[in-house]
Every structure is written in structure tokens, then in C-alpha cells.
Amino acid sequence: MNSTRVFIDGHWASPTSGEILDMVAPSTGEKIGTIARGAAADIDMAVKAARRAFEGPWGQMAAVDRGRLLSRLGQKILEHEDELTALEALDTGKALKLARNDIKAVARYFEFYGGAADKLHGETIPFLNGYQVMILREPRGVTGHIIPWNYPAQMFGRTLGPALAAGNAAVLKPAEEACLSCIRLTELAAEVGFPDGAINLVPGLGEEAGAALSSHPDIDLISFTGSPEVGVLIQKAAAENHVPCVLELGGKSPQIVFADADHGKAIETIVAALVQNTGQTCSAGSRVLIERSIYDQFMTQLSRRFKNLRAGPHQMDLDCGPVISKVQQERVLGFLERARADNIEIAAQGEVHAGASDGGYFVPPTLFRLVPRDHELAREEVFGPVLAAIPFDDEADAIRLANGTDFGLIAGVWTDSGARQMRMAKAIRAGQVYINGYGAGGGIELPFGGFKKSGHGREKGFEALREFTVAKTVVFNHG
Ligand code: NAI
Ligand code: MG
């Protein structure tokens, strides 16, 4: 594998710096490989190559042919499912079954957007007599993509699928903590025959390669998924060049359980949605809001389930893996320690498997009861297997609480009342609302994105194609 290289203009090459970065397996803390430490000079070459591709063969390719390339990549990914699954699990520490889902999802992104490439139609508009107006949807041009480490393979498909389908040439900066699957996926993309420069990959550090990409004057759009703090830096850098941004910055998504809900079904989904990827999911349902009349009973059941959760190395395929890094482990343990200092009671805690390596970055899955509404556990993204339970009084209180953080990414509402389902869906300020269910991960067709500090712009579905295109109005005066 070309793991110590950058991919620019259809060729694998050493980064200009000649430097590499070590990659570590979160399950053991041991070194598993190296990646290129790409930086500003590589980013500049990648942007120039993308511009040439956009103005050349890639930009001139018919939509149907672009779509075919994407579909072919989807097929190719499925042919390499086992290999990519093992690589993703090793690199991120996630359980094998989850890694397999991720690889199936990245294939689906390319299948979905491959099929969509020639179905993005423009519009015509009735105007004055003697005129005809049409709206063309054109690609933006060169798009920059900065993605995180929690779902490297899925993010590769989620961000590049719609950008390429719409006809943009892309420069991708994956995360330094985990990006081996992105390197392998880029190799597969090269094999299916994307023209040189259509896809460029520059691994490296956020403050080097990432900052160089977001501040590059010749990109036409930047798409970023990651922390709110870096989202601000990206947007400021892009603003200098008047470059638009799509930002997805995580959340503190609520699961709202009313007394009339099917508790058994709710509990299974609530637990699964939290522990998936060890809580390191932007759309993790990390707050459970419970109607006061059923609070004790529901917590008893939820605690029973939580106690049985196990964290262990990816190949054990348990409920949780390790978190991504020592830094992230310390960050999550910091939340647990501060909660203890603030006398917030633990309702139930799972275990780290006895066979887990001491060098791995494990955190026991933890459920906190009666978390005060203004506590950081109720308001901030932990990005670990930590669930905060909070009681509410009535529907109005539930809405207040659900909307009471800086975030607004997704929400789950559990109730049998149809009218309440509709009222809640309308009242919640979040990009996705699930009724008696939860989960955005697989929903390739479903527009996804934030309100408030969860970001702006939309990914997934046809909405993503709209983000990666721009409307051009053409007015004919035909007399
Ligand atoms: P981060 O925001 O630093 O990293 C995300 C991506 O941004 C990586 O590719 C990184 O290299 C890049 N980056 C970092 N600094 C940059 C800069 N100055 N300019 C351009 N690109 C830059 O996130 P980090 O530090 O890995 O995680 C911290 C917290 O962020 C997590 O605990 C979690 O709460 C949140 N997060 C949310 C994610 C989501 O899916 N919404 C994904 C990853 C992290
Ligand atoms: Mg960071």
C-alpha cells in the first residue's frame, strides 16, 4: 500500500517534506504503520492538479460516464470488503461488525451517487413574454474536504461521492489519527480509472495540511467534519477568500422517551445508538430525556442493559472498542472525573474486557443518572461511551430541554401518540428527527446536517448534490 505517499494528479509520490507520521492501533497502542506528512506545498500541487482536471478531461466528461466511474468504485469496494473491513477495524479500533457496516456504507455512497450523477436536473422559470429562463446546476469547481477519524471510510464516500458525482475535482485531507482506509480507497479509485487530478489525497496534520487546504485561495468550496473549534478556524480561513463552507460539527443529540413509548424497543436502540463506535459518532444520542412518571422504572431497565456492556479490542467484536487515542481517552476520562467531583451519580457502568491490552485506549461505558441540566455532561459533546439521563415534566419541558444546548444535529422521539410525534418533529431544532427509531449512519439517501453550532449545509441524499453545485441563471431574450 502507498501508505507513506500523497496522491496528486494521478500519481503516488513522497510528500515534499519527505516526512512521515506514525499510525497507532487504538486497541493496543502499538505502531501499525506510517502515513505521509503532507503540508502546504503538497496541498498547493493537489489544488493545481484538481483545477487542471476540472478544466480538462474530468470537467468535460458526460454525467453518465462520471456516474459509471463512481458505480464501478462502489463495486470494487464490495470486492475488497474483507480487506477494507480489517484495515478500518485495526486503524480505528472499532468492532469488526461495525467496520464491515462502514465498508458496505462507503460502497453504497458510490452506488447512490453513481446513479444520481445524471439525474441532477436544472429548472426553467416562467418570465416576461419574449423570454426564456433556465437554471443550470453547475459543479463548484475544486472542492476541499477535511474529514475526521471516527468514520474514515464512510466519510470518504459521504464527502467525495456527491462532490465527484456533481463534477467537482476534489482534494481530500483525511485525519492523522486514522486514514489507512482512505489511502486504500484512493488506490481503488485510481484502479477504476478516474482521470488524473479528479481525486487528490494529502494525508497530514490538521494544522499543516488541513490549514493549508482551508486557506487555499483557489478552492471553490470546503467541506469539513470535526470539532466546533476547528470549524471556526476553517470558516475564518475560508472567509479570507470568500470560499463557502459546509460544516458538520457534532452534537449533543437527545433521545426523548415519553411514558406511552415501547420501552423495550427504545432501550435497545438508545443503547446501540450511544455505544456505536464507542460513542465517537457525531450523531450519538448522548442524552436520554425521560418523562418523570416513568423515570425510575425506565432507568432500572436501562441500567440493567448498561451493566452488561463490554469494551474490548476490535477483533473481539464487543459493544465498544477503544477510543481513538490517548488524548481522546484522557478527554473522556476527564468528563468522568469531573462528574464524580460534582457528585453526579453513576447509574450503571459496563466493563473493559479482562483480555484487553493495557496499552489500548479503553473507557468503561457509563450511564449517569439525574444529570443537572446545566452540567457539562448535559450540554457538551463527550465523544465517548457516556450517556446522561435527565427527567422531564411534560411535552413543553421536553422540547425546552431538547433544544436547550448549543447543538442541533439529530433527535429521537419515543411515543405512540401520532399527534405528539408530529408536534415534536416540528418543534425540535435539529437536522434529523427520528420517531420511534434512531440512526443516521446508514442513511445515505437522507439529508443530514446541523442547526446552530452543529454546523450548516447538508450532506447525504440529493441535498449534498445541491451543496456541491451552484445555480446559474441563463436568460434568453428571444423576442
Ligand atoms: P478536529 O476537529 O481537530 O479534527 C478533524 C479534522 O480536522 C482532522 O482531519 C484534522 O486533521 C483537521 N484539523 C485539525 N486542526 C485543523 C486546522 N487548524 N485546520 C484545518 N484542519 C484541521 O477534531 P479532534 O481534535 O480529532 O477531536 C476533538 C473533538 O472534536 C472530539 O472529541 C469530538 O468532540 C469532536 N469531533 C467531532 C467529529 C464529528 O463527527 N462531528 C469528528 C471528530 C471530532
Ligand atoms: Mg484537534
Side-chain angles (χ1 to χ4, degrees):
M1 206 167 98
N2 287 289
S3 62
T4 57
R5 298 180 166 203
V6 297
F7 185 69
I8 296 173
D9 208 9
H11 304 285
W12 292 97
S14 294
T16 311
S17 69
E19 289 183 43
I20 52 174
L21 299 166
D22 286 343
M23 300 300 277
V24 165
S27 292
T28 58
E30 282 163 15
K31 183 177 158 183
I32 50 165
T34 46
I35 58 165
R37 183 172 171 175
D42 309 290
I43 290 288
D44 189 51
M45 283 191 284
V47 171
K48 289 195 168 95
R51 180 65 60 193
R52 283 194 299 276
F54 179 68
E55 288 170 356
W58 174 242
Q60 277 142 33
M61 192 178 278
V64 61
D65 293 326
R66 286 202 306 270
R68 272 196 192 121
L69 281 174
L70 286 155
S71 302
R72 225 179 278 157
L73 178 53
Q75 277 305 309
K76 189 115 197 159
I77 291 166
L78 290 177
E79 286 159 22
H80 292 261
E81 184 184 312
D82 290 346
E83 175 207 343
L84 287 163
T85 296
L87 188 62
E88 187 75 336
L90 176 69
D91 197 24
T92 62
K94 66 179 68 188
L96 280 168
K97 57 179 180 282
L98 180 62
R100 188 169 296 282
N101 286 344
D102 288 1
I103 300 309
K104 289 197 161 99
V106 61
R108 286 212 47 227
Y109 274 111
F110 287 106
E111 289 166 344
F112 178 86
Y113 287 110
D118 58 356
K119 294 167 192 70
L120 187 65
H121 302 160
E123 288 173 66
T124 61
I125 292 184
F127 194 49
L128 305 174
N129 280 345
Y131 286 88
Q132 181 60 49
V133 179
M134 55 190 201
I135 310 294
L136 306 178
R137 290 226 69 100
E138 298 193 341
R140 289 187 180 264
V142 174
T143 51
H145 306 256
I146 299 177
I147 62 172
W149 41 261
N150 51 345
Y151 291 87
Q154 275 214 51
M155 287 299 316
F156 184 95
R158 178 166 126 191
T159 197
L160 292 186
L164 296 168
N168 300 283
V171 178
L172 174 66
K173 205 302 280 179
E176 54 270 45
E177 292 84 355
C179 64
L180 295 179
S181 62
C182 293
I183 296 171
R184 188 69 189 110
L185 287 163
T186 303
E187 289 180 345
L188 297 179
E191 282 176 30
V192 303
F194 279 90
D196 293 350
I199 302 175
N200 303 276
L201 176 79
V202 182
L205 298 174
E207 56 273 27
E208 295 177 359
L213 183 55
S214 57
S215 63
H216 201 287
D218 198 34
I219 56 171
D220 298 298
L221 176 127
I222 184 114
S223 179
F224 169 77
T225 299
S227 62
E229 297 74 26
V230 175
V232 171
L233 299 178
I234 301 272
Q235 191 156 235
K236 279 186 177 163
E240 292 290 331
N241 301 309
H242 295 286
V243 168
C245 308
V246 174
L247 301 179
E248 199 270 87
L249 309 174
K252 190 72 188 178
S253 298
Q255 297 270 19
I256 308 159
V257 187
F258 286 92
D260 65 351
D262 176 339
H263 296 179
K265 195 170 147 207
I267 283 172
E268 272 317 300
T269 306
I270 288 167
V271 171
L274 186 264
V275 298
Q276 162 168 317
N277 209 29
T278 319
Q280 304 168 113
T281 304
C282 47
S283 54
S286 54
R287 294 185 289 159
V288 56
L289 317 182
I290 306 163
E291 193 161 8
R292 207 177 288 278
S293 61
I294 55 154
Y295 180 82
D296 288 336
Q297 171 206 342
F298 193 85
M299 282 300 285
T300 304
Q301 278 179 272
L302 187 58
S303 301
R304 204 174 298 140
R305 183 73 187 79
F306 238 81
K307 242 176 247 153
N308 292 329
L309 293 172
R310 296 288 173 272
H314 57 280
Q315 65 277 25
M316 281 191 183
D317 235 352
L318 302 176
D319 306 294
C320 291
V323 294
I324 191 73
S325 62
K326 187 96 197 132
V327 171
Q328 193 63 17
Q329 185 190 34
E330 280 163 8
R331 195 170 176 273
V332 177
L333 291 176
F335 276 96
L336 300 188
E337 272 156 32
R338 290 190 297 279
R340 191 172 311 133
D342 294 338
N343 293 316
I344 299 177
E345 207 185 317
I346 291 178
Q349 197 160 39
E351 278 174 18
V352 176
H353 194 283
S357 155
D358 289 342
Y361 311 127
F362 297 99
V363 177
T366 308
L367 170 64
F368 283 98
R369 77 163 96 241
L370 294 174
V371 175
R373 296 177 177 207
D374 57 353
H375 195 269
E376 62 173 11
L377 275 184
R379 311 186 60 85
E380 284 177 31
E381 184 171 61
V382 177
F383 233 56
V386 178
L387 182 57
I390 308 169
F392 66 84
D393 297 322
D394 53 20
E395 192 177 310
D397 193 33
I399 292 167
R400 207 163 30 240
L401 195 47
N403 290 337
T405 74
D406 287 342
F407 296 105
L409 192 59
I410 93 168
V413 179
W414 297 88
T415 176
D416 272 354
S417 156
R420 173 179 278 156
Q421 293 170 356
M422 187 57 80
R423 285 194 301 273
M424 292 297 291
K426 288 186 173 176
I428 289 171
R429 286 176 47 78
Q432 289 189 338
V433 180
Y434 288 82
I435 309 296
N436 293 335
Y438 196 90
I444 282 122
E445 308 83 351
L446 313 180
F448 176 73
F451 280 55
K452 302 190 279 182
K453 289 190 183 161
S454 288
H456 47 74
R458 291 292 176 265
E459 298 184 276
K460 301 189 174 185
F462 270 73
E463 285 291 325
L465 288 173
R466 287 186 198 102
E467 294 287 357
F468 283 112
T469 55
V470 64
K472 180 187 278 175
T473 307
V474 182
V475 182
F476 291 89
N477 176 352
H478 55 67

Coordinates of all heavy atoms in Angstrom, one line a residue, residues 227-291:
S227 N -14.5 19.1 14.9 CA -14.8 19.8 16.2 C -15.3 21.2 15.9 O -14.9 21.8 14.9 CB -13.6 19.8 17.1 OG -12.6 20.6 16.4
P228 N -16.2 21.7 16.7 CA -16.7 23.1 16.6 C -15.5 24.1 16.6 O -15.5 25.1 15.8 CB -17.5 23.3 17.8 CG -18.0 21.9 18.2 CD -16.8 21.0 17.9
E229 N -14.5 23.8 17.4 CA -13.3 24.7 17.4 C -12.6 24.9 16.1 O -12.3 25.9 15.6 CB -12.3 24.3 18.5 CG -12.8 24.3 19.9 CD -13.8 23.1 20.2 OE1 -13.7 22.0 19.5 OE2 -14.6 23.2 21.1
V230 N -12.3 23.7 15.5 CA -11.7 23.7 14.2 C -12.6 24.2 13.1 O -12.2 24.9 12.2 CB -11.1 22.4 13.8 CG1 -10.5 22.4 12.4 CG2 -10.0 22.0 14.9
G231 N -13.9 24.0 13.3 CA -14.9 24.5 12.4 C -14.8 26.0 12.3 O -14.9 26.6 11.2
V232 N -14.6 26.7 13.4 CA -14.4 28.2 13.4 C -13.2 28.5 12.6 O -13.2 29.5 11.8 CB -14.3 28.7 14.8 CG1 -13.9 30.2 14.8 CG2 -15.6 28.5 15.6
L233 N -12.1 27.8 12.8 CA -10.8 28.1 12.1 C -11.0 28.0 10.6 O -10.5 28.8 9.8 CB -9.7 27.2 12.6 CG -9.3 27.3 14.1 CD1 -8.2 26.3 14.4 CD2 -8.8 28.7 14.4
I234 N -11.7 26.9 10.2 CA -11.9 26.6 8.8 C -12.7 27.8 8.2 O -12.4 28.3 7.1 CB -12.7 25.3 8.6 CG1 -12.0 24.1 9.3 CG2 -13.1 25.1 7.2 CD1 -11.0 23.4 8.4
Q235 N -13.8 28.1 8.9 CA -14.6 29.2 8.3 C -13.9 30.5 8.2 O -14.1 31.2 7.2 CB -15.9 29.2 9.2 CG -17.0 30.1 8.6 CD -18.4 29.7 9.1 OE1 -19.3 29.4 8.3 NE2 -18.5 29.8 10.4
K236 N -13.1 30.8 9.2 CA -12.4 32.1 9.2 C -11.4 32.1 8.0 O -11.3 33.1 7.3 CB -11.6 32.3 10.5 CG -12.4 32.8 11.6 CD -11.6 33.1 12.8 CE -12.4 33.7 13.9 NZ -11.7 33.7 15.2
A237 N -10.7 31.0 7.8 CA -9.7 30.9 6.8 C -10.4 31.0 5.4 O -9.9 31.7 4.5 CB -8.9 29.6 6.9
A238 N -11.5 30.3 5.3 CA -12.2 30.3 4.0 C -12.8 31.7 3.7 O -12.9 32.1 2.6 CB -13.4 29.3 4.0
A239 N -13.2 32.4 4.8 CA -13.8 33.7 4.6 C -12.8 34.7 4.0 O -13.2 35.6 3.2 CB -14.2 34.3 6.0
E240 N -11.5 34.5 4.3 CA -10.5 35.4 3.7 C -10.5 35.4 2.1 O -10.2 36.3 1.5 CB -9.1 35.0 4.1 CG -8.8 35.2 5.6 CD -8.7 36.7 6.0 OE1 -8.3 37.5 5.1 OE2 -9.0 37.0 7.1
N241 N -10.9 34.2 1.6 CA -11.0 34.0 0.2 C -12.5 34.0 -0.3 O -12.7 33.6 -1.5 CB -10.3 32.7 -0.2 CG -8.8 32.8 0.2 OD1 -8.1 33.7 -0.1 ND2 -8.4 31.7 0.9
H242 N -13.4 34.3 0.5 CA -14.8 34.2 0.2 C -15.2 32.8 -0.4 O -15.9 32.7 -1.4 CB -15.2 35.3 -0.8 CG -15.1 36.7 -0.3 ND1 -16.0 37.2 0.7 CD2 -14.1 37.6 -0.4 CE1 -15.6 38.4 1.0 NE2 -14.5 38.7 0.4
V243 N -14.7 31.8 0.3 CA -15.0 30.4 -0.1 C -16.1 29.9 0.8 O -16.0 30.0 2.1 CB -13.7 29.6 0.1 CG1 -14.0 28.1 0.0 CG2 -12.7 29.9 -1.0
P244 N -17.2 29.4 0.3 CA -18.2 28.8 1.1 C -17.8 27.5 1.8 O -17.0 26.8 1.3 CB -19.4 28.6 0.1 CG -18.7 28.4 -1.2 CD -17.4 29.2 -1.2
C245 N -18.5 27.3 2.9 CA -18.2 26.0 3.7 C -19.4 25.2 4.0 O -20.5 25.8 4.2 CB -17.7 26.4 5.1 SG -16.4 27.6 5.2
V246 N -19.3 23.9 4.0 CA -20.2 23.0 4.6 C -19.6 22.5 5.8 O -18.5 21.9 5.8 CB -20.6 21.8 3.6 CG1 -21.5 20.8 4.3 CG2 -21.2 22.4 2.4
L247 N -20.2 22.7 7.0 CA -19.6 22.3 8.3 C -20.5 21.4 9.0 O -21.7 21.7 9.2 CB -19.3 23.6 9.1 CG -18.4 24.7 8.6 CD1 -18.4 25.8 9.6 CD2 -17.1 24.2 8.3
E248 N -19.9 20.3 9.4 CA -20.7 19.3 10.3 C -19.9 19.1 11.6 O -18.8 18.6 11.5 CB -20.9 18.0 9.5 CG -22.0 17.2 10.2 CD -21.5 16.2 11.2 OE1 -21.4 16.7 12.4 OE2 -21.2 15.1 10.9
L249 N -20.4 19.6 12.7 CA -19.6 19.8 13.9 C -20.1 19.1 15.1 O -19.8 19.5 16.2 CB -19.5 21.3 14.2 CG -19.1 22.2 13.0 CD1 -19.2 23.7 13.4 CD2 -17.7 21.9 12.5
G250 N -20.8 18.0 14.9 CA -21.2 17.2 16.0 C -22.4 17.7 16.8 O -23.1 18.5 16.3
G251 N -22.7 17.1 17.9 CA -23.9 17.4 18.6 C -24.0 16.9 20.0 O -23.0 16.4 20.6
K252 N -25.2 17.1 20.6 CA -25.5 16.5 21.9 C -26.9 16.1 21.8 O -27.9 16.6 22.4 CB -25.4 17.6 23.0 CG -25.4 17.1 24.4 CD -24.2 16.3 24.8 CE -24.4 15.6 26.1 NZ -23.2 14.8 26.5
S253 N -27.1 15.1 20.9 CA -28.4 14.7 20.5 C -29.2 14.0 21.5 O -28.7 13.1 22.2 CB -28.3 13.9 19.2 OG -27.6 14.6 18.2
P254 N -30.5 14.4 21.7 CA -31.4 13.8 22.7 C -32.2 12.6 22.2 O -32.6 12.6 21.0 CB -32.3 14.9 23.0 CG -32.5 15.7 21.7 CD -31.1 15.5 21.0
Q255 N -32.4 11.7 23.1 CA -33.4 10.6 22.9 C -34.5 10.9 23.9 O -34.2 11.0 25.1 CB -32.8 9.2 23.3 CG -31.6 8.8 22.4 CD -32.1 8.0 21.2 OE1 -33.3 8.0 20.8 NE2 -31.2 7.2 20.6
I256 N -35.7 11.2 23.4 CA -36.7 11.7 24.3 C -37.8 10.6 24.5 O -38.4 10.2 23.5 CB -37.4 12.9 23.6 CG1 -36.3 13.9 23.3 CG2 -38.4 13.6 24.6 CD1 -36.7 14.9 22.2
V257 N -37.9 10.1 25.7 CA -38.8 9.0 25.9 C -40.0 9.4 26.7 O -39.9 9.8 27.9 CB -38.1 7.9 26.7 CG1 -38.9 6.6 26.8 CG2 -36.7 7.6 26.1
F258 N -41.2 9.3 26.1 CA -42.5 9.6 26.8 C -43.0 8.3 27.4 O -42.7 7.2 27.0 CB -43.5 10.1 25.8 CG -43.2 11.6 25.4 CD1 -42.4 11.8 24.3 CD2 -43.6 12.6 26.1 CE1 -42.1 13.1 23.9 CE2 -43.3 13.9 25.8 CZ -42.6 14.2 24.7
A259 N -43.9 8.5 28.4 CA -44.4 7.4 29.1 C -45.1 6.3 28.3 O -45.1 5.1 28.6 CB -45.4 7.9 30.2
D260 N -45.7 6.8 27.2 CA -46.5 5.8 26.4 C -45.7 5.0 25.3 O -46.2 4.3 24.5 CB -47.6 6.6 25.6 CG -47.1 7.6 24.6 OD1 -45.9 7.8 24.6 OD2 -47.9 8.1 23.8
A261 N -44.3 5.2 25.4 CA -43.5 4.5 24.4 C -43.3 3.1 24.6 O -43.6 2.6 25.8 CB -42.1 5.2 24.3
D262 N -42.9 2.3 23.6 CA -42.5 0.9 23.8 C -41.1 0.9 24.4 O -40.1 1.1 23.7 CB -42.5 0.3 22.4 CG -42.0 -1.2 22.4 OD1 -41.3 -1.6 23.4 OD2 -42.3 -1.9 21.5
H263 N -41.0 0.7 25.7 CA -39.7 0.9 26.4 C -38.7 -0.1 26.0 O -37.5 0.3 25.9 CB -40.0 0.7 28.0 CG -40.8 1.8 28.5 ND1 -41.2 1.9 29.8 CD2 -41.4 2.9 27.9 CE1 -42.0 2.9 30.0 NE2 -42.1 3.5 28.9
G264 N -39.1 -1.3 25.8 CA -38.1 -2.3 25.4 C -37.4 -2.0 24.1 O -36.1 -2.0 24.0
K265 N -38.1 -1.6 23.1 CA -37.6 -1.2 21.8 C -36.7 0.1 22.0 O -35.6 0.2 21.4 CB -38.8 -0.9 20.9 CG -38.4 -0.9 19.4 CD -39.7 -0.8 18.6 CE -39.4 0.0 17.3 NZ -40.7 0.6 16.8
A266 N -37.2 1.0 22.8 CA -36.5 2.3 23.0 C -35.1 2.0 23.6 O -34.1 2.5 23.1 CB -37.3 3.2 23.8
I267 N -35.1 1.1 24.6 CA -33.8 0.9 25.3 C -32.8 0.2 24.4 O -31.6 0.7 24.4 CB -34.1 0.0 26.6 CG1 -34.7 1.0 27.7 CG2 -32.8 -0.6 27.1 CD1 -35.2 0.3 28.9
E268 N -33.2 -0.7 23.6 CA -32.3 -1.4 22.7 C -31.6 -0.4 21.8 O -30.4 -0.4 21.6 CB -33.0 -2.5 21.9 CG -33.0 -3.9 22.6 CD -31.7 -4.2 23.3 OE1 -30.7 -4.3 22.5 OE2 -31.6 -4.4 24.5
T269 N -32.5 0.5 21.2 CA -32.0 1.4 20.2 C -31.1 2.5 20.9 O -30.1 2.9 20.3 CB -33.2 2.0 19.4 OG1 -34.0 1.0 18.9 CG2 -32.7 2.9 18.3
I270 N -31.6 3.0 22.0 CA -30.9 4.0 22.7 C -29.5 3.6 23.1 O -28.5 4.3 22.9 CB -31.6 4.5 24.0 CG1 -32.9 5.3 23.6 CG2 -30.8 5.3 24.9 CD1 -33.9 5.5 24.7
V271 N -29.4 2.4 23.6 CA -28.0 1.8 23.9 C -27.2 1.6 22.7 O -26.0 2.1 22.6 CB -28.2 0.5 24.7 CG1 -26.8 -0.1 24.9 CG2 -28.8 0.8 26.1
A272 N -27.8 1.0 21.7 CA -27.0 0.8 20.5 C -26.5 2.1 19.8 O -25.4 2.2 19.4 CB -27.8 0.0 19.5
A273 N -27.4 3.1 19.8 CA -27.0 4.4 19.2 C -25.9 5.1 19.9 O -25.2 5.9 19.4 CB -28.2 5.2 19.0
L274 N -25.8 4.8 21.2 CA -24.8 5.5 22.0 C -23.5 4.8 21.9 O -22.4 5.4 21.7 CB -25.3 5.6 23.5 CG -24.5 6.4 24.5 CD1 -23.6 5.6 25.3 CD2 -23.8 7.6 24.0
V275 N -23.5 3.5 22.1 CA -22.2 2.8 22.2 C -21.6 2.5 20.8 O -20.4 2.2 20.7 CB -22.3 1.4 22.9 CG1 -22.7 1.7 24.4 CG2 -23.3 0.4 22.2
Q276 N -22.4 2.7 19.7 CA -21.9 2.5 18.4 C -20.6 3.3 18.2 O -20.6 4.5 18.5 CB -22.9 3.0 17.4 CG -22.3 3.2 16.0 CD -23.3 3.4 14.9 OE1 -24.3 2.7 14.9 NE2 -23.1 4.4 14.1
N277 N -19.6 2.7 17.8 CA -18.3 3.4 17.6 C -17.8 4.0 18.9 O -17.1 5.0 18.9 CB -18.3 4.4 16.5 CG -17.0 4.6 15.8 OD1 -16.2 3.7 15.7 ND2 -16.8 5.9 15.4
T278 N -18.2 3.4 20.0 CA -17.7 3.8 21.4 C -18.1 5.2 21.7 O -17.3 6.0 22.3 CB -16.2 3.5 21.4 OG1 -15.9 2.3 20.8 CG2 -15.7 3.5 22.9
G279 N -19.2 5.6 21.2 CA -19.7 7.0 21.5 C -19.1 8.0 20.6 O -19.4 9.2 20.7
Q280 N -18.2 7.6 19.7 CA -17.5 8.6 18.9 C -18.2 8.8 17.6 O -17.7 8.5 16.5 CB -16.0 8.2 18.6 CG -15.3 7.9 19.9 CD -14.0 7.2 19.7 OE1 -12.9 7.7 19.8 NE2 -14.1 5.9 19.2
T281 N -19.4 9.3 17.7 CA -20.3 9.5 16.5 C -20.9 10.8 16.6 O -21.4 11.2 17.7 CB -21.4 8.4 16.4 OG1 -20.8 7.1 16.4 CG2 -22.2 8.5 15.2
C282 N -20.8 11.6 15.6 CA -21.3 13.0 15.6 C -22.8 13.0 16.1 O -23.3 13.8 16.8 CB -21.2 13.7 14.3 SG -21.7 12.7 12.9
S283 N -23.5 12.0 15.6 CA -25.0 11.9 15.9 C -25.3 11.0 17.0 O -26.4 10.5 17.2 CB -25.7 11.4 14.6 OG -25.1 10.2 14.2
A284 N -24.3 10.7 17.9 CA -24.6 9.8 19.0 C -25.7 10.4 19.9 O -25.8 11.6 20.1 CB -23.3 9.7 19.9
G285 N -26.6 9.5 20.3 CA -27.7 10.0 21.2 C -27.2 10.0 22.6 O -27.3 9.1 23.4
S286 N -26.5 11.1 23.0 CA -25.8 11.1 24.3 C -26.5 11.7 25.5 O -26.0 11.8 26.5 CB -24.5 11.9 24.0 OG -24.7 13.2 23.6
R287 N -27.8 12.1 25.2 CA -28.7 12.5 26.3 C -29.9 11.6 26.2 O -30.5 11.6 25.2 CB -29.1 13.9 26.2 CG -28.0 14.9 26.3 CD -28.6 16.3 26.3 NE -29.1 16.8 25.0 CZ -30.0 17.7 24.8 NH1 -30.5 18.4 25.9 NH2 -30.4 18.0 23.6
V288 N -30.4 11.0 27.3 CA -31.7 10.4 27.3 C -32.6 11.2 28.2 O -32.3 11.3 29.4 CB -31.6 8.9 27.6 CG1 -30.9 8.6 28.9 CG2 -33.0 8.2 27.6
L289 N -33.7 11.8 27.7 CA -34.6 12.6 28.4 C -35.8 11.7 28.6 O -36.4 11.2 27.7 CB -35.0 13.8 27.6 CG -33.8 14.5 26.9 CD1 -34.3 15.8 26.1 CD2 -32.7 14.9 27.9
I290 N -36.2 11.6 29.9 CA -37.2 10.6 30.3 C -38.4 11.2 31.0 O -38.1 12.0 32.0 CB -36.6 9.5 31.2 CG1 -35.4 8.9 30.5 CG2 -37.6 8.4 31.5 CD1 -34.4 8.1 31.4
E291 N -39.6 10.9 30.6 CA -40.8 11.5 31.3 C -40.7 11.1 32.8 O -40.5 9.9 33.1 CB -42.1 11.1 30.6 CG -43.2 11.9 31.1 CD -44.4 11.9 30.1 OE1 -44.4 11.1 29.1 OE2 -45.4 12.6 30.4

